[in-house]
Amino acid sequence: ILGILLIIPASGLAFDVTARVDKTAMTPEDILSLKVEVDGGEGRVETSAIKDFKVVPAGTSSQRSFINGSWSHKVVYQYRLHI
């Protein structure tokens, strides 16, 4: 249903990406929430492959931390999908 999301890293080469939706079934009136987490840097989420929904950006959050001498960076991109 959702097609393929393309993640292009903006910095560095080592990163993990997780994409989650809040529903596995929906009606035409429902709104689906999509959350894409990029752990290890920033990225650009390409949503043009999602053809069956209207994709509306719903915000971005960024978290940086320094633990035991090591930096980490996670960015979360949120979207609302309407039929």
Side-chain angles (χ1 to χ4, degrees):
I1 290 176
L2 292 180
I4 298 173
L5 296 174
L6 175 64
I7 308 294
I8 300 172
S11 63
L13 298 175
F15 65 97
D16 293 313
V17 178
T18 305
R20 292 189 176 104
V21 292
D22 67 338
K23 297 177 176 90
T24 57
M26 61 187 291
T27 67
E29 293 82 27
D30 288 338
I31 297 172
L32 186 67
S33 294
L34 169 65
K35 183 186 290 187
V36 180
E37 296 180 9
V38 180
D39 195 358
E42 295 180 15
R44 187 180 79 225
V45 180
E46 179 57 57
T47 59
S48 64
I50 303 174
K51 300 293 184 191
D52 297 331
F53 296 89
K54 178 181 178 186
V55 180
V56 179
T60 302
S61 63
S62 179
Q63 176 184 352
R64 294 178 192 263
S65 58
F66 186 75
I67 300 173
N68 295 330
S70 180
W71 282 100
S72 66
H73 184 204
K74 178 162 74 170
V75 180
V76 179
Y77 302 92
Q78 297 184 60
Y79 300 89
R80 300 287 182 254
L81 283 65
H82 307 264
I83 293 181

